[in-house]
Amino acid sequence: MLEIKHTLCPSCSVGCGINVVLNDGEIVGTFPYKRHPVNAGKNCLNGRNSLEIYQNKFENAVVSNSQTDVDGTIESVLKELSVADSSQVSVICSGNNSMDEIEAIKSFAESKGFNIGFYADNLNNFADVASYDDVESASNVFVIGDLLYENPLIGRRIVHAKQNGAKIFALGKTDKSVTFNIADEVFNSSVQEFLDNAADKIDDSSVVVFNYVDAQEDLDKISDLACKKLPVFSKSNSKGALNIVDAKSKEEMIELLDNTKVLLVFNDDIVEEFDFDFGKISKIISFAPCENSTTEISDIVVPIKTWLEKDGSFVNAMGDEQTFSAVIESDVLSEIEIIDKLNG
């Protein structure tokens, strides 16, 4: 029997709805969620491919590449933590965690005296951000990053803005930026130079949409602009996490890793994000739904539920908190259940 269940896409911070198709209780694909207010039935390739997290999920716990039971794996984690200097233990959370999970991870780290690390693409938490409708109705849209390619459902709003008569000014890292195809003016400069060049065109009817900056100074400059701003994060709940945990810059994250002997990573792939010699860390413990570059080098891996197997909420780029429910049942422990075990 075919069944369709609603949930949220986990692939970026746009916050699109996505339908998951089940056949006789097995997940077989996705289907457009036509009534969802963010994406109205459109899902990008990243969203459709997000099923791979579930399709490639761990079936069992892994310790030093040997199969074992989950309780035994958690006992191994507790043993490592019991002999570690708490000042040299770092806990990593990310925008892949739900709101409740981030609260639990933060509470766990603080109660044990561990360091906590959270990286949000070097972007800030702007309290008052542009809505997606604001993007469509802007007179000028200043785009930093290849939004049409990397965040297509925001890119769709930028296309609508152009159709509504807006001028599009785009900054890209390469000449091959897809966003350049619809832009009135294109740039390959620094963010500072791009904003300086645009200074006389930015007013209260403009919107700056961006998914990267070059430095903290860029964020300060964007903050001072007399227009609406919309930072778009690479992970689904980075904006929500920023309401709970202070984000670190890339440099601060590297410094944290330099001073870490035991590293706990909750549902993130930091090896892919940071150019760092992780061999300097004595023990790496990953809590992950499926294999990634970080689990490959981890000493202990504890499987966790995938996004399709749990309830929770994400805060999207424009600040709306959206709840989601489990699409399929699972006996795998959630991050919160694992933290409860680690807390004893």
Side-chain angles (χ1 to χ4, degrees):
M1 182 183 71
L2 286 177
E3 187 178 8
I4 294 176
K5 293 191 176 182
H6 307 307
T7 187
L8 293 177
C9 176
S11 64
C12 76
S13 69
V14 177
C16 297
I18 190 169
N19 285 335
V20 178
V21 183
L22 296 90
N23 186 20
D24 293 332
E26 294 294 324
I27 294 172
V28 296
T30 64
F31 190 78
Y33 190 165
K34 296 187 181 298
R35 294 194 302 276
H36 195 274
V38 169
N39 55 304
K42 307 291 183 182
N43 290 116
C44 71
L45 182 61
N46 290 334
R48 296 192 295 274
N49 287 345
S50 61
L51 283 184
E52 293 177 359
I53 299 171
Y54 176 80
Q55 293 163 341
N56 298 325
K57 68 175 183 172
F58 290 120
E59 294 297 335
N60 298 292
V62 181
V63 178
S64 301
N65 298 318
S66 299
Q67 297 297 320
T68 187
D69 65 282
V70 173
D71 285 339
T73 308
I74 293 173
E75 283 298 320
S76 297
V77 176
L78 287 169
K79 183 177 179 180
E80 293 294 341
L81 296 179
S82 69
V83 297
D85 180 342
S86 61
S87 68
Q88 296 180 319
V89 178
S90 295
V91 177
I92 305 298
C93 65
S94 81
N96 294 325
N97 306 122
S98 71
M99 294 297 285
D100 287 345
E101 288 166 352
I102 293 165
E103 291 277 12
I105 293 166
K106 180 185 179 184
S107 177
F108 165 69
E110 291 180 343
S111 69
K112 303 294 184 183
F114 299 155
N115 306 301
I116 186 164
F118 166 56
Y119 179 67
D121 309 316
N122 269 352
L123 302 180
N124 276 358
N125 189 16
F126 290 83
D128 184 21
V129 297
S131 69
Y132 303 157
D133 288 342
D134 289 334
V135 175
E136 287 194 9
S137 62
S139 61
N140 293 315
V141 182
F142 298 87
V143 186
I144 302 172
D146 195 359
L147 275 293
L148 263 69
Y149 179 73
E150 295 165 1
N151 308 100
L153 274 301
I154 291 290
R156 185 168 175 253
R157 304 297 182 119
I158 297 170
V159 171
H160 290 170
K162 185 174 179 67
Q163 292 170 341
N164 292 334
K167 295 287 186 181
I168 311 298
F169 304 87
L171 172 65
K173 295 180 179 179
T174 73
D175 292 330
K176 296 181 179 179
S177 172
V178 175
T179 307
F180 284 2
N181 293 327
I182 67 160
D184 296 279
E185 294 185 30
V186 302
F187 303 83
N188 287 124
S189 63
S190 69
V191 173
Q192 291 278 328
E193 291 169 330
F194 174 68
L195 295 175
D196 287 339
N197 182 76
D200 62 339
K201 304 180 186 73
I202 295 177
D203 57 25
D204 58 9
S205 65
S206 303
V207 174
V208 176
V209 187
F210 57 104
N211 63 12
Y212 81 88
V213 293
D214 296 325
Q216 175 63 42
E217 291 75 18
D218 300 336
L219 292 172
D220 297 336
K221 197 173 189 73
I222 291 171
S223 181
D224 291 338
L225 295 174
C227 69
K228 294 180 178 178
K229 305 98 179 174
L230 180 63
V232 182
F233 303 92
S234 63
K235 297 171 185 174
S236 53
N237 195 37
S238 290
K239 184 168 177 62
L242 282 165
N243 294 325
I244 300 169
V245 183
D246 292 333
K248 294 184 182 297
S249 68
K250 183 163 285 190
E251 293 75 18
E252 289 170 333
M253 286 294 292
I254 295 296
E255 182 180 357
L256 176 68
L257 294 171
D258 262 328
N259 293 289
T260 296
K261 293 299 182 185
V262 178
L263 180 67
L264 284 71
V265 183
F266 284 90
N267 200 8
D268 203 6
D269 190 4
I270 62 172
V271 169
E272 282 293 305
E273 288 193 287
F274 301 106
D275 183 13
F276 180 79
D277 179 8
F278 286 90
K280 296 192 298 185
I281 298 176
S282 300
K283 292 291 180 181
I284 300 177
I285 302 167
S286 288
F287 304 85
C290 60
E291 187 174 3
N292 59 40
S293 297
T294 303
T295 65
E296 287 177 1
I297 67 165
S298 294
D299 301 280
I300 301 174
V301 178
V302 183
I304 59 174
K305 289 182 187 291
T306 68
W307 61 286
L308 291 171
E309 298 169 311
K310 59 188 178 183
D311 304 331
S313 64
F314 294 148
V315 176
N316 67 17
M318 64 177 172
D320 290 343
E321 184 168 353
Q322 303 179 96
T323 60
F324 57 92
S325 300
V327 166
I328 193 166
E329 293 184 1
S330 170
D331 293 330
V332 177
L333 295 179
S334 69
E335 286 156 277
I336 292 175
E337 290 170 326
I338 289 169
I339 289 170
D340 285 344
K341 287 179 176 288
L342 293 177
N343 281 325

